[in-house]
Amino acid sequence: MKDFFAYFFGQGDTVEFSLLTPAHFVPILVMLAVIFLIYRKRDALRQSRCEENLRYVLAFALILTDMSYYWRLIGVPALNPNPVEHLPIGVCGCAVILCSYMVVGKKQSLFDIVYFWLLSGSLFALITPTPITYTGPTRFRYYQFWLEHTLGYVAIFYMIFVHGMRPTVRSAIKSYAALVILAVIAYNVNVMLPGANYLYMARPEAAPSVLDILPANFALRLAVMAFAIAVMYVLAYLPWYCKDRRAAQAQEEVGCGV
């Protein structure tokens, strides 16, 4: 039993997870299926007497998946946990915590931030989940990673479909400002702790990822990252812009008909 737990909560010495495989696609498909189910059952969920309890369960699951990452590090000394690599300074981890408070309190102000963070930043974690390169489907970290990175999307789409939340241009500005603040904190931590690489501002990831295309020069790297994130913000808001335009055009047509 001891050997089983040592294996399950540990990590391998060779690559156990590969991109564009069933182990990569299945968690994303499950997430999309859950979101679709929420959309189909949105009216029933909104009117359910258990709706509040459901939000509390979702918030608890978000917190649990995030905290279990650190519990695993503490419980498995072979993983060599250290503050240089494992401080809670990152878009994904912060977004999960904010999502938990968002669903409990139905906070539009938190939705404004995490909507763009998840669809513009954490999205890359789904495309290239390099942190689990050495932990495949037979290990705890694989499931912790996918739950942490997919439950956030479930939370924001739950608030969209069930509680009618939506982003605005002001939301995007607020979210980008919050991201800049987080980036400033990460930069200073990277400077103070040699070897730290929070928000991947210091260097690319060790495993292959989309960030490998960024220039090594810090100023250029930062500029490209800022521009790319701004573009992602625009794309994340684009469906709502198109929806508003269609609604405005429909209203104009009604007015002209009268």
Side-chain angles (χ1 to χ4, degrees):
M1 184 63 72
K2 183 178 179 180
D3 291 340
F4 167 77
F5 281 111
Y7 173 86
F8 182 65
F9 289 101
Q11 67 179 24
D13 297 323
T14 59
V15 173
E16 296 184 2
F17 173 86
S18 300
L19 302 178
L20 307 180
T21 61
H24 186 184
F25 291 134
V26 169
I28 298 175
L29 292 176
V30 170
M31 176 192 72
L32 294 175
V34 171
I35 292 173
F36 178 73
L37 186 61
I38 291 172
Y39 172 74
R40 289 292 301 271
K41 301 295 182 180
R42 61 191 183 279
D43 294 330
L45 289 170
R46 190 182 306 114
Q47 299 168 9
S48 173
R49 292 180 297 176
C50 300
E51 193 278 327
E52 183 177 8
N53 292 333
L54 182 60
R55 285 188 286 107
Y56 274 90
V57 170
L58 179 55
F60 177 76
L62 286 161
I63 294 292
L64 184 63
T65 55
D66 185 63
M67 292 305 300
S68 62
Y69 171 77
Y70 300 100
W71 294 337
R72 168 177 171 267
L73 292 175
I74 295 172
V76 184
L79 296 175
N80 299 317
N82 63 80
V84 171
E85 298 178 352
H86 301 296
L87 288 175
I89 305 173
V91 171
C92 297
C94 289
V96 165
I97 299 301
L98 293 179
C99 278
S100 66
Y101 284 100
M102 174 192 69
V103 296
V104 168
K106 296 191 289 187
K107 298 291 187 181
Q108 176 70 45
S109 58
L110 295 179
F111 175 87
D112 292 342
I113 294 174
V114 297
Y115 174 84
F116 289 100
W117 279 17
L118 288 173
L119 292 181
S120 303
S122 297
L123 185 63
F124 292 110
L126 302 185
I127 298 172
T128 55
T130 54
I132 57 173
T133 299
Y134 300 100
T135 51
T138 59
R139 299 186 189 267
F140 171 82
R141 170 60 171 150
Y142 172 86
Y143 299 97
Q144 183 276 327
F145 174 90
W146 283 112
L147 282 172
E148 180 178 15
H149 287 79
T150 57
L151 282 177
Y153 290 92
V154 171
I156 61 172
F157 282 102
Y158 183 91
M159 301 311 289
I160 289 172
F161 296 140
V162 178
H163 292 286
M165 292 188 179
R166 57 153 296 171
T168 63
V169 173
R170 182 175 295 181
S171 302
I173 295 172
K174 180 195 301 184
S175 179
Y176 202 90
L179 184 60
V180 169
I181 293 173
L182 184 63
V184 170
I185 295 173
Y187 170 77
N188 283 281
V189 172
N190 289 344
V191 171
M192 291 186 292
L193 297 177
N197 188 28
Y198 292 103
L199 299 188
Y200 306 110
M201 295 175 65
R203 60 185 180 279
E205 299 176 87
S209 76
V210 294
L211 297 178
D212 293 341
I213 63 176
L214 297 179
N217 179 273
F218 175 77
L220 288 176
R221 183 180 182 81
L222 191 61
V224 172
M225 290 176 70
F227 176 77
I229 292 172
V231 171
M232 293 296 293
Y233 268 51
V234 171
L235 293 177
Y237 183 70
L238 187 59
W240 300 97
Y241 172 78
C242 294
K243 179 181 178 181
D244 292 342
R245 284 293 302 272
R246 287 196 299 268
Q249 290 174 357
Q251 188 66 28
E252 290 177 0
E253 291 174 0
V254 171
C256 291
V258 173

